[in-house]
Amino acid sequence: MNSRKSKSNNLIHAEYLSQVQRILRERFCHQSPHSNLFGVQVQYKHLIELLKRTAIYGESNSVLIIGPRGSGKTMIINHALKELMEIEEVSANILQVHLNGLLQINDNIALKEITRQLNLENVVGDKVFGSFAENLSFILEALKKGDRTSSCPVIFILDEFDLFAHHKNQTLLYNLFDISQSAQNPIAVIGLTCRLYLKIFKEQLSLPAEFPDKLFAEKWNESVQCLSEDISVREVLQKHFNVSKNLRSLHMLLMLALSRITTSHPFLTAADLMEANQLCSMDSKANIVHGLSVLEICLIIAMKHLNDIYEEEPFNFQMVYNEFQKFVQRKAHSVYNFEKPIVMKAFEHLQQLELIRPMERTSINAQREYQLMKLLLDNTQIMNALQKYPNCPTDVRQWATSSLSWL
């Protein structure tokens, strides 16, 4: 009896495990819309409102969703479509077309896929169309029901949107956006991409058609096109995009690169972009370190060692001075042997430059030597600044790179 019961329990457990695996595989592999959204509630609300206006009121809309791979672009679309299809008046009326720039590599393939997903192969049949626009218009016309004012809303989801922008003449995009702007069929065009910077980069640098010298404009635009295809430029733009998605920061990068243009150097190069990127990403605090005296550098190194020893605990001037004295005594160099008031002045100067700050408000009666301070530079910033510090003494650099304090 017990063996039958255990077998029955094992079968039940196996069935449960099978269901668990199915549910979780769907969630992990197919961007299941049943999980909760985190951090994109505002964008989701805006997207669902646009889709409802298309599905319920017949208003055409277009939206571009930008974000790095794995950031949840497809997930937010799936959630929005699931919520939309739960509305009774929408579910039986709306149509969806899913296209991917990696699969539909030209507009003719994309058009055939649109026809297939809308189940209009029999309607199109062997008809011959004069143009792409005529073919697309005929397909959408076939979706009209009853009179001409009533049509099935269609939602177009274009994954890898940037690849559709590279199609010859961009016929599909032009026609879809033309329809969405006109009073024809109600459609919503949703683009998903993670590579908008290259397109913006080319648009921002390209010269307009009305430029007075047509020949120079052509040469300039050709150089911009070559620049956008350069691997090093793509790496610079990708790093810049990872740091900041703000268009102003891109404009600043291009402005710095543009300042290198002269009559003897009339076209932008990859080296110009790389130099501009270095200027943009330059650490302001590290630049301040370059202008410090050797004594002030030594005090910062002493603070660095104190941070390493006491695990980022606050320090005071006396602790820093003692650490500095260990270095002076070990090296036996009179050149570093400053009097304590002078070292105190250097310490206060670092505070004025905001490289260190007090942990609490300074009271009138408090002794300055024992006021707790915190270093506002990390180890990487200090070491990078020392590498570029002009004529930094070798023993000072060695002291900075030593893992332990001088004992």
Side-chain angles (χ1 to χ4, degrees):
M1 188 73 179
N2 288 333
S3 63
R4 286 181 184 177
K5 196 171 184 179
S6 63
K7 281 184 180 179
S8 177
N9 287 338
N10 288 338
L11 287 172
I12 291 170
H13 287 155
E15 185 182 345
Y16 288 161
L17 285 173
S18 179
Q19 289 182 15
V20 167
Q21 287 179 330
R22 180 181 58 79
I23 291 167
L24 295 184
R25 280 173 182 162
E26 182 184 352
R27 184 180 299 168
F28 298 153
C29 301
H30 301 291
Q31 293 91 32
S32 171
H34 301 290
S35 55
N36 295 324
L37 290 170
F38 298 100
V40 290
Q41 286 83 354
V42 175
Q43 293 86 340
Y44 175 76
K45 184 180 177 183
H46 184 57
L47 177 63
I48 194 67
E49 285 176 0
L50 285 176
L51 292 179
K52 283 180 179 177
R53 291 210 295 266
T54 299
I56 298 171
Y57 305 111
E59 176 187 308
S60 292
N61 286 297
S62 59
V63 61
L64 184 62
I65 302 175
I66 309 167
R69 296 193 188 281
S71 60
K73 301 186 294 297
T74 304
M75 183 180 66
I76 197 174
I77 287 287
N78 290 343
H79 270 79
L81 292 175
K82 179 178 178 289
E83 183 178 331
L84 200 64
M85 297 308 286
E86 288 172 353
I87 302 172
E88 190 175 344
E89 59 183 299
V90 171
S91 58
N93 188 39
I94 200 163
L95 297 168
Q96 299 176 32
V97 175
H98 293 260
L99 301 175
N100 191 304
L102 294 170
L103 301 176
Q104 285 77 49
I105 57 175
N106 62 51
D107 291 336
N108 289 327
I109 296 174
L111 193 59
K112 287 178 182 177
E113 183 62 18
I114 292 169
T115 307
R116 188 190 68 79
Q117 291 190 32
L118 295 177
N119 298 317
L120 294 174
E121 295 100 325
N122 295 331
V123 177
V124 174
D126 297 325
K127 290 183 183 294
V128 178
F129 298 98
S131 66
F132 182 93
E134 186 183 334
N135 195 345
L136 185 61
S137 298
F138 176 82
I139 291 171
L140 295 176
E141 186 75 23
L143 299 173
K144 291 182 181 294
K145 49 176 195 173
D147 55 35
R148 291 181 60 82
T149 60
S150 182
S151 304
C152 273
V154 186
I155 297 177
F156 289 88
I157 297 101
L158 307 182
D159 210 346
E160 304 291 345
F161 181 84
D162 53 293
L163 297 180
F164 286 102
H166 289 299
H167 287 186
K168 186 179 180 182
N169 299 328
Q170 301 179 355
T171 314
L172 175 67
L173 295 183
Y174 277 122
N175 280 279
L176 285 178
F177 290 131
D178 184 52
I179 292 166
S180 71
Q181 295 297 319
S182 64
Q184 299 179 35
N185 303 65
I187 70 169
V189 182
I190 305 171
L192 293 87
T193 184
C194 59
R195 294 182 181 176
L196 192 67
Y197 245 39
L198 279 176
K199 185 168 171 54
I200 295 175
F201 171 77
K202 287 192 283 187
E203 286 177 353
Q204 295 296 313
L205 284 179
S206 297
L207 294 177
E210 58 271 16
F211 191 78
D213 190 333
K214 302 289 183 186
L215 185 61
F216 181 82
E218 283 180 15
K219 287 182 179 179
W220 175 273
N221 291 339
E222 283 175 10
S223 72
V224 170
Q225 177 64 34
C226 292
L227 206 59
S228 67
E229 295 169 359
D230 190 288
I231 295 174
S232 58
V233 172
R234 285 172 178 259
E235 288 176 356
V236 165
L237 291 175
Q238 186 64 54
K239 287 178 183 176
H240 199 79
F241 180 75
N242 292 340
V243 172
S244 172
K245 278 58 172 184
N246 193 334
L247 197 58
R248 286 182 181 177
S249 66
L250 177 63
H251 285 164
M252 178 57 70
L253 174 72
L254 299 180
M255 183 68 75
L256 291 169
L258 194 64
S259 65
R260 299 174 65 86
I261 294 296
T262 61
T263 51
S264 59
H265 181 68
F267 299 107
L268 286 175
T269 63
D272 296 332
L273 263 296
M274 293 168 76
E275 182 71 26
N277 185 56
Q278 285 181 356
L279 290 172
C280 282
S281 57
M282 198 171 281
D283 192 333
S284 58
K285 279 191 167 60
N287 285 342
I288 294 174
V289 175
H290 298 162
L292 298 179
S293 66
V294 174
L295 172 59
E296 289 163 342
I297 289 285
C298 288
L299 294 184
I300 285 178
I301 295 171
M303 295 172 200
K304 169 186 174 295
H305 285 305
L306 288 172
N307 276 346
D308 292 341
I309 296 166
Y310 299 110
E311 299 178 345
E312 307 289 334
E313 286 294 314
F315 52 81
N316 56 38
F317 168 75
Q318 191 61 48
M319 293 167 68
V320 174
Y321 182 75
N322 291 343
E323 195 69 24
F324 173 60
Q325 285 300 106
K326 290 178 187 177
F327 167 67
V328 172
Q329 290 165 12
R330 184 176 179 92
K331 300 310 289 183
H333 276 321
S334 59
V335 69
Y336 302 122
N337 197 9
F338 297 95
E339 294 180 4
K340 192 171 183 178
I342 296 175
V343 179
M344 186 66 183
K345 278 287 183 184
F347 188 83
E348 289 174 346
H349 186 230
L350 293 177
Q351 185 178 346
Q352 290 170 2
L353 293 173
E354 297 183 356
L355 296 177
I356 57 174
R357 66 172 175 81
M359 294 297 293
E360 53 192 26
R361 185 177 294 179
T362 309
S363 62
I364 299 172
N365 299 325
Q367 288 183 291
R368 292 181 302 168
E369 293 90 338
Y370 301 102
Q371 185 181 9
L372 291 177
M373 310 290 283
K374 185 173 180 63
L375 181 62
L376 300 180
L377 294 166
D378 59 36
N379 286 1
T380 306
Q381 288 176 307
I382 294 169
M383 298 312 298
N384 288 342
L386 281 175
Q387 292 297 323
K388 298 176 183 176
Y389 187 83
N391 302 321
C392 182
T394 306
D395 46 4
V396 172
R397 188 176 280 119
Q398 287 174 348
W399 180 36
T401 54
S402 62
S403 56
L404 296 173
S405 179
W406 300 95
L407 298 174

